Amino acid sequence: MNRKKALVVFSGGQDSTTCMFHALEKYDEVELVTFMYGQRHALEIDVARKIAEEHDLKHHVLDMGLLSQLAPNALTHDMPIEEDGGMPNTFVPARNMIFLSFASALAYQIKAGVIITGVSQTDFSGYPDCRSNFIQSMNLTANLAMDEDFQIETPLMWRDKKETWAMADRLGKLEYIRENTLTCYEGVPGDGCGTCPACELRNAGLEAYLKERGNDGVLSNPGS
Amino acid sequence: MNRKKALVVFSGGQDSTTCMFHALEKYDEVELVTFMYGQRHALEIDVARKIAEEHDLKHHVLDMGLLSQLAPNALTHDMPIEEDGGMPNTFVPARNMIFLSFASALAYQIKAGVIITGVSQTDFSGYPDCRSNFIQSMNLTANLAMDEDFQIETPLMWRDKKETWAMADRLGKLEYIRENTLTCYEGVPGDGCGTCPACELRNAGLEAYLKERGNDGVLSNPGS
């Protein structure tokens, strides 16, 4: 494994794009992997592809449509659900464990010694497989599974959104991330719809950071 | 989670069918999960379905065709490979980790507290993700991923093939397993082709066990 080569789990959102810039600063080689599943995938994938292309990075897009087989109604009816547009927004447990299993296997194939994921325990999502204890255990499990020495790096684990914006700024990428990433549940890139929970979290963090930095009031026109 | 309900990772081969009978003896409820992928899947799935039906067990068949996205040639050409019949026999790392991640998520959905897999460190397959250390780490990882208390049970971990046949016999199922399971690389059920590595291992174990039990020479006509 090449310890100077990183594979970034990449959705095209604020967090994983910040991780991408972090990786570009720290490692000699960077590749991206995006997991495609569920209803919102088309727009998210477009955003992710655009960012990958703009930075000339190899971008692996893995179709995870089979996750729908684990949704409760698929199990109840004992048949797969339509993958395109038909998947209801049902809870699939351990989704991040499944994604990191695939990311680890991909890292093995491309000889990347480092896997980077933007999960955060501070802005706790409610998913236990985004917590630090899980990541440490997952890392050990992946290493034992392949007899290798991968490192799963989580640069955002203990950062809140304000601190993630500060990191983006330190990397010189605050404006790029603000304008080009997609976090909004309504599918509005950039500052987003401004009212969904994802926008509220993202924009409150940005506002707090900009206030601290001395640019008060920048978000007075969200969505601009 | 129901600690008297077990989900058996089930291929229709000797080992996982022995695990199925073990589960039927030990647990109140048993369900089976089969992972469908690669070239040989059609016949294996038929055998697995038949055994599941004969024992009136709920049988989850999960399509893992997307594993082909992790095969080296898929990565090289940067596109998915045909799933049906077109998948070359290329190594996908951490396959068992990926399968156990899915099995754990499925166990969560069906509220099975126990996941049973027939991996064995004794008849070492060369895959690190079949070893005991990996299974223990995987178990902890799955529990952390879902904040639950699953037990991954590996009744064959320290048995060689002779001891697995002895277990089948103790369960009263030696003849059933001998006649109805598929282990042979050539796709011949029962005693198989007799010459592929899987048949050699299976039949040598059976012969050794039957000799010990006092049925010398039963395998003088392999394939009968």
Side-chain angles (χ1 to χ4, degrees):
Chain A
M1 294 298 119
N2 180 351
R3 302 212 64 78
K4 294 302 286 175
K5 180 171 182 177
L7 176 66
V8 180
V9 179
F10 183 67
S11 71
Q14 176 198 355
D15 293 342
S16 63
T17 305
T18 304
C19 287
M20 179 192 83
F21 286 119
H22 164 79
L24 285 168
E25 186 184 65
K26 187 170 175 184
Y27 297 99
D28 293 342
E29 281 184 80
V30 175
E31 297 188 14
L32 309 175
V33 59
T34 298
F35 297 107
M36 185 162 64
Y37 66 98
Q39 288 175 309
R40 294 194 308 135
H41 71 231
L43 183 57
E44 286 193 354
I45 300 296
D46 286 348
V47 169
R49 277 195 207 279
K50 179 170 168 285
I51 296 172
E53 280 168 16
E54 285 178 357
H55 294 85
D56 202 20
L57 295 177
K58 191 163 171 61
H59 186 204
H60 307 271
V61 179
L62 296 189
D63 179 356
M64 301 298 286
L66 62 74
L67 274 182
S68 63
Q69 299 172 100
L70 293 174
N73 47 355
L75 296 172
T76 307
H77 298 114
D78 208 16
M79 56 183 295
I81 295 174
E82 289 298 318
E83 285 174 22
D84 295 314
M87 185 177 161
N89 192 13
T90 45
F91 175 60
V92 172
R95 201 176 60 185
N96 202 38
M97 176 170 70
I98 290 170
F99 289 169
L100 285 173
S101 297
F102 273 86
S104 303
L106 177 59
Y108 181 98
Q109 298 286 42
I110 66 172
K111 302 197 191 318
V114 179
I115 300 152
I116 299 180
T117 175
V119 294
S120 168
Q121 182 154 346
T122 301
D123 279 335
F124 182 49
S125 62
Y127 296 113
D129 55 352
C130 292
R131 294 190 290 215
S132 181
N133 279 351
F134 163 76
I135 294 290
Q136 290 176 56
S137 184
M138 180 75 221
N139 199 156
L140 177 59
T141 299
N143 287 357
L144 288 167
M146 291 176 278
D147 240 345
E148 291 287 349
D149 203 15
F150 299 100
Q151 181 206 350
I152 301 183
E153 189 179 334
T154 55
L156 310 184
M157 182 59 80
W158 303 110
R159 291 179 205 266
D160 62 18
K161 277 283 180 286
K162 185 183 87 171
E163 292 164 325
T164 300
W165 282 115
M167 181 177 170
D169 201 19
R170 188 191 59 70
L171 290 161
K173 300 296 177 183
L174 186 145
E175 289 307 321
Y176 182 90
I177 291 171
R178 182 176 176 182
E179 288 165 16
N180 292 282
T181 62
L182 172 62
T183 305
C184 172
Y185 291 162
E186 301 296 328
V188 183
D191 288 337
C193 73
T195 55
C196 75
C199 280
E200 283 189 356
L201 190 65
R202 170 178 162 140
N203 292 346
L206 178 57
E207 195 160 18
Y209 173 66
L210 292 176
K211 265 186 184 148
E212 195 172 276
R213 203 188 62 172
N215 287 334
D216 197 17
V218 168
L219 275 184
S220 57
N221 294 312
S224 65
Chain B
M1 295 299 119
N2 180 352
R3 303 214 64 78
K4 295 301 287 175
K5 180 172 184 177
L7 175 66
V8 180
V9 179
F10 183 65
S11 70
Q14 176 197 353
D15 293 341
S16 64
T17 305
T18 303
C19 287
M20 179 192 84
F21 285 120
H22 164 79
L24 286 168
E25 187 186 65
K26 187 169 176 184
Y27 296 100
D28 294 342
E29 281 184 79
V30 175
E31 297 188 13
L32 308 175
V33 59
T34 299
F35 296 106
M36 185 162 63
Y37 65 99
Q39 287 176 311
R40 292 194 310 134
H41 70 231
L43 182 57
E44 285 193 356
I45 300 297
D46 287 347
V47 168
R49 278 195 205 280
K50 179 170 169 285
I51 295 172
E53 281 168 16
E54 284 178 0
H55 295 84
D56 202 21
L57 295 177
K58 190 162 171 63
H59 186 203
H60 307 271
V61 179
L62 296 189
D63 180 355
M64 302 296 287
L66 62 75
L67 272 182
S68 63
Q69 298 173 102
L70 293 175
N73 47 355
L75 297 172
T76 306
H77 299 113
D78 209 14
M79 57 183 292
I81 294 173
E82 289 298 319
E83 285 174 22
D84 294 315
M87 185 178 161
N89 193 12
T90 45
F91 175 60
V92 173
R95 201 176 60 187
N96 202 38
M97 175 170 69
I98 291 170
F99 288 169
L100 285 173
S101 297
F102 273 85
S104 304
L106 177 59
Y108 181 99
Q109 297 287 43
I110 66 171
K111 301 196 192 320
V114 179
I115 299 151
I116 300 180
T117 174
V119 294
S120 169
Q121 184 153 346
T122 302
D123 280 334
F124 182 48
S125 61
Y127 295 113
D129 56 352
C130 291
R131 295 191 290 215
S132 181
N133 279 352
F134 163 75
I135 294 290
Q136 289 176 56
S137 184
M138 180 75 222
N139 198 157
L140 177 59
T141 300
N143 287 357
L144 287 168
M146 291 175 278
D147 241 344
E148 291 287 349
D149 203 16
F150 299 101
Q151 180 205 351
I152 301 182
E153 189 180 333
T154 55
L156 310 184
M157 182 58 81
W158 304 109
R159 291 179 205 266
D160 61 18
K161 277 281 180 286
K162 187 183 85 172
E163 292 163 327
T164 300
W165 282 114
M167 182 177 169
D169 201 18
R170 187 190 60 70
L171 290 161
K173 299 296 177 183
L174 186 144
E175 289 307 321
Y176 182 90
I177 290 170
R178 182 175 176 182
E179 288 165 16
N180 292 283
T181 62
L182 172 62
T183 305
C184 172
Y185 290 163
E186 302 296 327
V188 183
D191 289 338
C193 73
T195 54
C196 75
C199 280
E200 283 189 357
L201 190 65
R202 169 177 163 141
N203 292 344
L206 179 57
E207 194 159 18
Y209 173 66
L210 292 176
K211 264 187 187 147
E212 194 171 278
R213 202 187 64 172
N215 287 333
D216 197 17
V218 169
L219 276 186
S220 58
N221 295 311
S224 66

